[in-house]
């Protein structure tokens, strides 16, 4: 109570504070005082409205309470009436117990009467059981299955009714039950015999439906009747606890088992050969299976479906389950790589194609989109993984064998074959990519993702193969260097090795365009390009090494007294280079052009190296002029030769020889600094030791002049251009200079 009072006081204070705030808000200005009366009337109306709503709400609550009390009072009266009625019922029930017990004899009489009525009703059948059994047996033997089943149902009905009445009268009297069972013991034998006939018809259903479809219809009708009797007997057992012997028969379930076994046997019986007898055994088996399944399902659709109730709709699933079980058995065997591909292609593609389950004649009965996969995903993944492992081992062996075969060709006495454009080549690229192409075509039959995996593996194996290819090319060169007369066609086969790199690259690009799902380059692409470039570069280098081994003696004559007196070394060099490059024309264009550039660079470098080795020094101005003019002529010879070979720009490289000749040709030593400065500006990679060697070969530069020139050039060092081709960088200058003045 105190709490309520405090709450009311607090609420009152809050209301007063709120009112003060509102009044203060309305009377902030002096002109609002004139409206005080107006404000007062407005607030009075609001107060009256609120009080009216409160009174209405309170009145409504009071009416609801009054109604609730009235209903509770009425419910209390109803409960009292019900209690009285229940007491009367209890009293009447106690009084009727004795009456019910006195009617037990009547109940027994009723049961006995019912049994007697049932016996009278079945009396004729009871006495004629042996005769009916014999008739039924004859009907079964004559394949009159419907009539035989009707007789069988009469016998079973008589037996079941008698047993049921006996069960109702005395469920514990087993002797009478056994007596009835013994009397009707032939009925169960007839049922079993009829069932055998039904299963035999179902096992031969594919033949029966074409010869005598009415026989198959009769079998289905008998099974349907038995299903109804089974359901009725099961329902009666729930109510009475009694069920006749042999029930439920479950003939419908047995029918499906027989059909399933029949389909499975037909599928399993398609294997006519083994792997030992025929390498294509699996392909033949799958094709026979496909044909049998399609033929059977067409018969099912056109003939058998009409013999079965529409709600069965099980034949597609039966065949699907049988085929699935069969391919699972096949998948569990130790399959070879080609067999794995054949099986997966059939399972993933052929099975749902128009050649099999998607056949036009089956379209209305079989929805291929509703079919479960024949093999679980984990089994498919296992087979694909096994194929990849086997393929990896196989392709490694294939590539090794192909390379060994190609290496044998390298030692032949005859030149390699040329393609339609006249370029030397071997059969190695064609063999390798034929293998890749065949396996990728096979992988593409399975699915696109797996095709991509196989392509990735091929490219990875290709890179490993090219590394071995490069190693074998190096070994081939080293073997040749031990005896340059062997192998007899070394140059020609080295050209073929270089050309094979271009063929490999083109074939790889072709495979990627045809089989790759993504145009993006992979790590293998970069590795393959790098390895191919290395093989080609090495091959070109080996061929140039071969050229310069033959030129070594003539290069050693350059810038010697013999050269100055009229040697034909450069003429021989040019003839030799041109002769080799007649063979090098068999090299494909990208490599041929690079090789020509490198040959020109090496010739110029070797020429300038001869200058830097200071094999001689000029004794006077005549020798300097004669030597300089010879150098200029020989530079022109090199320029003419290489323009003739490949149309290359030779100005910068051959110009280096000419620029050095101009240093030698200069007659006024006082202008030597300017000439050297011009040389350095053209070729910024020239070093001080190069200038020292040139001045030493010139022969008339004093020590002071050499020091002045070197010192001035060092102070005014020209920065080397990043775009200019270095020439002097790779030319060494011997530490000890032996001047050959003889």
């Amino acid at each position: 109570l105190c709490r309520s009072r405090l709450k009311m006081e607090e609420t009152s204070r809050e209301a007063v504070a709120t009112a003060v705030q509102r009044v203060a808000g309305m009377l902030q200005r002096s002109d609002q005082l004139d409206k005080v009366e107006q404000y007062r009337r407005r607030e009075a109306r609001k107060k009256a409205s609120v009080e009216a709503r409160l009174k209405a709400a309170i009145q409504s609550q009071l009416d609801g309470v009054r109604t609730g009390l009235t209903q509770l009072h009425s419910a209390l009266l109803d409960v009292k009436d019900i209690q009285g009625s229940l007491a009367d019922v209890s009293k009447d029930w106690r009084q009727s117990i004795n009456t019910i017990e006195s009617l037990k004899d009547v109940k027994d009489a009723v049961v006995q009467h019912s049994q007697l009525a049932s016996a009278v009703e079945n009396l004729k059948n009871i006495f004629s059981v042996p005769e009916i059994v014999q008739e039924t047996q004859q009907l079964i033997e004559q394949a009159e299955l419907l009539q035989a089943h009707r007789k069988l149902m009469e016998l079973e009905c008589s037996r079941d009714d008698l047993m049921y009445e006996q069960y109702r009268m005395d469920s514990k009297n087993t002797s009478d039950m056994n007596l009835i069972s013994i009397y009707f013991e032939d009925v169960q034998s007839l049922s079993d015999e009829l069932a055998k006939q039904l299963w035999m018809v179902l096992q031969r259903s594919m033949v029966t439906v074409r010869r005598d479809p009415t026989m198959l219809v009769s079998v289905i009708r008998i099974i349907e009747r038995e299903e109804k009797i089974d359901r009725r007997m099961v329902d009666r057992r729930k109510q009475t606890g009694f069920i006749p012997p042999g029930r439920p028969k479950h003939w419908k379930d047995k029918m499906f088992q027989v059909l399933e076994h029949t389909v499975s046997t037909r599928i399993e019986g398609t294997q006519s050969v083994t792997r030992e007898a025929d390498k294509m055994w699996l392909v033949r088996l799958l094709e026979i299976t496909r044909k049998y399944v399609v033929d059977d399902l067409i018969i099912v659709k056109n003939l058998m479906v009409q013999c079965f109730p529409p709600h069965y709709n099980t034949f597609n699933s039966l065949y699907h389950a049988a085929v699935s079980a069969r391919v699972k058995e096949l998948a569990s065997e130790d399959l070879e790589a080609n067999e794995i591909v054949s099986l997966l292609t059939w399972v993933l593609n052929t099975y749902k194609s128009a050649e099999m389950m998607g056949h036009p004649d089956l379209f209305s009965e079989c929805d291929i989109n509703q079919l479960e996969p024949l093999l679980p995903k984990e089994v498919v993944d296992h087979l694909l993984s096994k194929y990849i492992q086997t393929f990896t081992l196989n392709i490694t062996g294939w590539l090794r064998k192909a390379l060994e075969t190609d290496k044998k060709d390298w030692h032949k006495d005859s030149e390699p074959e040329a393609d339609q454009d006249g370029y030397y080549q071997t059969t190695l690229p064609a063999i390798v990519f034929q293998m890749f192409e065949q396996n990728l075509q096979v992988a593409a039959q399975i699915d696109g993702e797996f095709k991509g995996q196989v392509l990735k593996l091929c490219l990875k194996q290709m890179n490993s193969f090219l590394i071995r290819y490069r190693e074998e090319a190096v070994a081939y060169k080293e073997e040749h260097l031990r005896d340059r007369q062997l192998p007899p066609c070394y140059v020609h086969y080295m050209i073929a090795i270089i050309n094979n790199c271009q063929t490999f690259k083109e074939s790889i690009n072709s495979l990627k365009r045809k089989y790759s799902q993504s145009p993006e380059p992979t790590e293998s692409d970069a590795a393959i390009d790098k390895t191919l470039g290395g093989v080609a570069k090495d091959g070109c280098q080996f061929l140039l090494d071969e050229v310069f081994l033959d030129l070594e003696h003539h290069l050693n004559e350059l810038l010697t007294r013999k050269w100055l007196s009229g040697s034909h070394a450069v003429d021989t060099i040019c003839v030799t280079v041109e002769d080799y490059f007649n063979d090098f024309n068999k090299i494909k264009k990208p490599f041929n052009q690079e090789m020509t550039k490198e040959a020109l660079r090496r010739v110029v470098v070797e020429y300038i190296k001869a200058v830097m080795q200071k094999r001689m020094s000029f004794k006077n101005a005549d020798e300097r002029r004669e030597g300089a003019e010879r150098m200029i002529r020989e530079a022109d010879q090199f320029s003419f030769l290489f323009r003739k070979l490949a149309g290359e720009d030779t100005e910068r490289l051959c110009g280096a020889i000419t620029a050095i000749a101009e240093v030698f040709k200069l007659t006024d030593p006082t202008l030597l600094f300017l000439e050297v400065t011009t040389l350095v500006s053209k070729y910024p990679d020239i070093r001080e030791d190069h200038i020292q060697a040139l001045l030493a070969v010139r022969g008339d530069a004093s020590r002071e002049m050499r020091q002045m020139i070197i010192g001035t050039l060092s102070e005014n060092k020209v920065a080397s251009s990043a775009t200019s081709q270095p020439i002097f960088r790779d030319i060494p200058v011997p530490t000890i200079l032996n001047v050959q003045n003889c």
Side-chain angles (χ1 to χ4, degrees):
L1 196 58
C2 291
R3 242 185 237 148
S4 298
R5 187 179 298 110
L6 291 173
K7 186 67 175 174
M8 290 181 64
E9 291 177 355
E10 184 179 355
T11 302
S12 178
R13 286 195 299 272
E14 289 178 355
V16 171
T18 302
V20 170
Q21 288 180 355
R22 290 191 62 189
V23 171
M26 287 187 292
L27 301 177
Q28 289 180 352
R29 298 190 307 275
S30 57
D31 58 340
Q32 291 177 328
L33 294 175
D34 297 337
K35 299 180 180 179
V36 168
E37 185 61 26
Q38 182 180 348
Y39 291 155
R40 187 184 63 77
R41 287 195 300 271
R42 187 176 65 188
E43 293 301 323
R45 286 195 300 272
K46 287 183 181 180
K47 180 180 178 183
S49 175
V50 170
E51 288 176 350
R53 287 200 300 273
L54 285 172
K55 287 179 181 179
I58 292 171
Q59 185 63 40
S60 175
Q61 292 292 330
L62 291 174
D63 292 343
V65 170
R66 187 180 297 110
T67 302
L69 290 173
T70 303
Q71 291 175 348
L72 287 173
H73 181 69
S74 176
L76 181 60
L77 294 176
D78 292 341
V79 168
K80 289 180 179 179
D81 291 341
I82 292 170
Q83 278 182 330
S85 300
L86 288 174
D88 294 339
V89 170
S90 178
K91 182 179 178 181
D92 294 341
W93 178 75
R94 288 190 181 91
Q95 291 175 355
S96 63
I97 289 177
N98 296 329
T99 305
I100 294 172
E101 290 178 352
S102 64
L103 294 176
K104 185 176 183 301
D105 295 338
V106 177
K107 178 182 177 183
D108 293 341
V110 170
V111 172
Q112 188 175 10
H113 176 75
S114 175
Q115 291 174 342
L116 291 172
S118 177
V120 169
E121 184 179 348
N122 292 288
L123 192 60
K124 181 180 178 181
N125 292 335
I126 292 172
F127 285 116
S128 60
V129 165
E131 182 183 348
I132 298 175
V133 167
Q134 186 176 1
E135 291 177 2
T136 306
Q137 183 67 43
Q138 292 176 354
L139 290 171
I140 292 174
E141 293 174 356
Q142 295 169 4
E144 298 291 340
L145 302 183
L146 275 178
Q147 296 182 29
H149 185 250
R150 185 163 57 251
K151 295 286 186 182
L152 177 64
M153 285 195 300
E154 292 176 3
L155 291 170
E156 288 180 338
C157 183
S158 298
R159 180 198 63 184
D160 296 346
D161 287 347
L162 287 173
M163 297 183 81
Y164 176 63
E165 294 301 333
Q166 176 60 38
Y167 179 83
R168 289 177 60 192
M169 182 176 65
D170 186 2
S171 61
K172 297 180 181 179
N173 188 351
T174 56
S175 60
D176 289 347
M177 282 288 194
N178 290 335
L179 182 64
I180 298 172
S181 297
I182 292 171
Y183 187 75
F184 285 93
E185 63 181 353
D186 291 335
V187 174
Q188 186 61 43
S189 300
L190 286 175
S191 177
D192 295 340
E193 185 65 26
L194 178 61
K196 289 180 182 179
Q197 293 297 319
L198 299 182
W199 310 147
M200 189 179 300
V201 172
L202 288 171
Q203 287 171 356
R204 304 181 60 203
S205 56
M206 286 295 174
V207 177
T208 304
V209 77
R210 283 179 284 190
R211 293 183 179 176
D212 186 9
T214 57
M215 176 69 74
L216 189 58
V217 172
S218 298
V219 170
I220 303 305
R221 289 178 62 186
I222 291 170
I223 292 172
E224 283 292 298
R225 288 176 184 173
E226 289 294 337
E227 279 294 301
K228 290 180 181 178
I229 297 173
D230 278 350
R231 288 195 294 270
R232 187 167 67 248
M233 293 303 170
V234 170
D235 291 340
R236 188 167 69 177
R237 180 177 60 180
K238 293 177 182 178
Q239 298 174 359
T240 64
F242 171 78
I243 190 165
R247 292 288 178 183
K249 293 183 179 180
H250 296 301
W251 277 8
K252 185 175 180 180
D253 293 339
K254 179 64 176 176
M255 175 192 70
F256 288 130
Q257 292 175 10
V258 171
L259 289 174
E260 183 178 351
H261 178 72
T262 302
V263 172
S264 298
T265 303
R266 184 161 174 79
I267 298 299
E268 292 173 0
T270 56
Q271 184 167 347
S272 58
V273 293
T274 60
R275 180 185 291 120
E276 292 73 18
D278 186 354
K279 291 184 178 180
M280 301 298 289
W281 68 277
L282 184 59
V283 175
R284 295 181 185 276
L285 185 153
L286 294 173
E287 176 57 22
I288 294 172
T289 301
R290 182 198 68 79
K291 187 175 184 305
Y292 278 14
V293 170
V294 172
D295 291 346
D296 286 1
L297 288 178
I298 290 175
I299 294 172
V300 167
K301 177 201 169 188
N302 295 331
L303 300 175
M304 196 173 290
V305 169
Q306 289 81 358
C307 300
F308 286 79
H311 62 276
Y312 277 29
N313 191 27
T314 58
F315 285 98
N316 290 339
S317 60
L318 284 177
Y319 274 88
H320 179 77
V323 173
S324 179
R326 183 60 177 141
V327 296
K328 285 176 182 176
E329 291 178 8
L330 294 172
S332 65
E333 295 186 13
D334 187 17
L335 298 177
E336 298 177 357
N338 61 321
E339 294 169 349
I340 291 174
V341 171
S342 298
L343 180 62
L344 289 179
T345 301
W346 194 88
V347 167
L348 300 177
N349 298 320
T350 304
Y351 183 69
K352 291 187 177 182
S353 71
E355 297 178 358
M356 197 168 177
M357 302 306 283
H359 195 281
D361 292 341
L362 302 176
F363 184 76
S364 59
E365 294 294 328
C366 180
D367 185 359
I368 59 175
N369 297 320
Q370 299 298 321
L371 294 175
E372 294 292 328
L374 281 179
L375 288 176
K377 185 177 184 303
E378 57 270 18
V379 176
V380 174
D381 292 342
H382 171 72
L383 289 175
L384 291 176
S385 176
K386 183 179 178 181
Y387 175 83
I388 289 293
Q389 293 173 2
T390 307
F391 174 66
T392 303
L393 294 175
N394 289 344
I395 200 170
T396 302
W398 293 336
L399 292 173
R400 186 182 297 111
K401 188 179 296 184
L403 183 54
E404 290 299 324
T405 303
D406 203 57
K407 282 169 55 182
K408 292 179 182 178
D409 292 343
W410 298 354
H411 295 82
K412 286 183 177 180
D413 296 336
S414 57
E415 297 179 2
E417 296 180 357
D419 63 11
Q420 64 272 19
D421 297 320
Y423 297 119
Y424 286 141
Q425 63 178 5
T426 67
T427 58
L428 182 62
I431 293 172
V432 169
F433 284 96
Q434 184 178 7
M435 291 188 296
F436 286 169
E437 179 81 22
Q438 290 173 352
N439 283 277
L440 284 167
Q441 287 177 353
V442 168
Q445 295 174 8
I446 298 177
D447 61 29
E449 182 179 353
F450 182 62
K451 176 187 66 178
Q453 293 180 15
V454 173
L455 176 61
K456 185 176 180 181
L457 177 60
C458 287
L459 294 178
K460 183 178 179 181
Q461 290 296 317
M462 185 67 199
N463 187 48
S464 301
F465 167 74
L466 289 175
I467 292 173
R468 292 195 298 273
Y469 190 55
R470 184 175 187 178
E471 293 170 353
E472 294 297 340
V474 173
Y476 184 54
K477 183 262 298 188
E478 292 173 351
E479 178 187 358
H480 172 70
L481 290 179
R482 288 192 289 270
D483 183 355
R484 292 189 63 206
Q485 301 303 315
L486 298 174
C489 294
Y490 167 79
V491 171
H492 306 93
Y493 277 98
M494 188 59 71
I495 291 173
I497 291 171
I498 296 170
N499 289 337
N500 284 348
C501 294
Q502 181 69 14
T503 307
F504 278 129
K505 187 171 184 179
E506 293 171 353
S507 300
I508 290 170
N509 291 334
S510 175
L511 284 182
K512 287 173 61 181
R513 285 193 301 270
K514 191 172 181 179
Y515 295 104
S516 178
Q517 294 178 309
S518 173
E520 296 298 325
T522 63
E523 295 181 3
S524 296
D525 296 338
I528 289 173
D529 287 344
K530 182 178 179 181
T531 307
L532 281 174
V535 175
K537 185 176 180 181
D538 287 350
C540 293
Q541 193 68 37
F542 297 159
L543 291 176
L544 288 178
D545 290 344
E546 185 74 6
V547 175
F548 281 88
L549 281 174
D550 286 349
L551 298 179
E552 185 175 4
H553 174 71
H554 306 290
L555 290 171
N556 289 335
E557 287 186 10
L558 297 176
L559 272 294
T560 63
R561 287 290 172 187
K562 183 178 179 181
W563 167 80
L564 186 62
S565 62
S567 168
H568 297 287
V570 170
D571 295 334
T572 306
I573 290 171
C574 290
V575 170
T576 304
V577 169
E578 185 172 7
D579 181 57
Y580 267 104
F581 269 85
N582 286 332
D583 289 334
F584 295 165
N585 284 333
K586 304 292 185 179
I587 300 176
K588 291 186 177 181
K589 201 165 188 178
F591 307 124
N592 184 290
Q593 290 176 333
E594 292 298 322
M595 195 170 173
T596 307
K597 290 180 182 179
E598 180 61 19
L600 172 59
R601 195 189 76 81
R602 284 187 65 171
V603 166
V604 172
V605 167
E606 291 295 330
Y607 196 100
I608 297 175
K609 191 185 295 183
V611 176
M612 298 303 168
Q613 289 176 353
K614 210 173 78 164
R615 299 169 181 172
M616 61 164 282
S617 62
F618 298 114
K619 295 179 179 179
N620 50 51
D622 291 338
E623 284 190 358
R624 285 191 290 275
R625 176 182 53 76
E626 183 181 350
E629 290 176 352
R630 188 175 186 83
M631 289 176 67
I632 292 171
R633 288 196 304 273
E634 291 172 348
D636 291 339
Q637 278 183 266
F638 292 146
S639 180
F640 175 80
L641 171 65
F642 284 97
R643 280 200 302 270
K644 175 183 175 183
L645 290 177
E648 292 294 328
D649 180 11
T650 61
E651 182 179 353
R652 177 167 177 78
L653 287 168
C654 294
I657 299 175
T658 303
I660 293 172
E662 293 296 335
V663 174
F664 293 156
K665 189 177 180 181
L666 186 67
T667 56
D668 187 354
T670 59
L671 300 177
L672 191 57
F673 172 74
L674 294 176
E675 195 65 43
V676 172
T677 302
T678 302
L679 175 64
V680 172
S681 64
K682 288 182 179 180
Y683 302 95
D685 61 321
I686 196 169
R687 301 189 302 272
E688 292 180 4
D689 54 348
H690 293 141
I691 303 299
Q692 290 276 18
L694 291 179
L695 296 177
V697 172
R698 179 177 167 84
D700 65 341
S702 63
R703 182 177 181 182
E704 292 77 11
M705 181 176 291
R706 291 199 300 269
Q707 290 177 347
M708 183 272 293
I709 293 173
I710 296 300
T712 306
L713 289 175
S714 299
E715 294 174 1
N716 301 281
K717 186 68 176 177
V718 179
S720 177
S721 172
T723 58
S724 62
Q725 182 183 11
I727 299 174
F728 291 87
R729 183 184 63 188
D730 300 327
I731 299 176
V733 177
T735 304
I736 301 175
L737 301 174
N738 297 318
V739 181
Q740 298 177 1
N741 292 317
C742 58

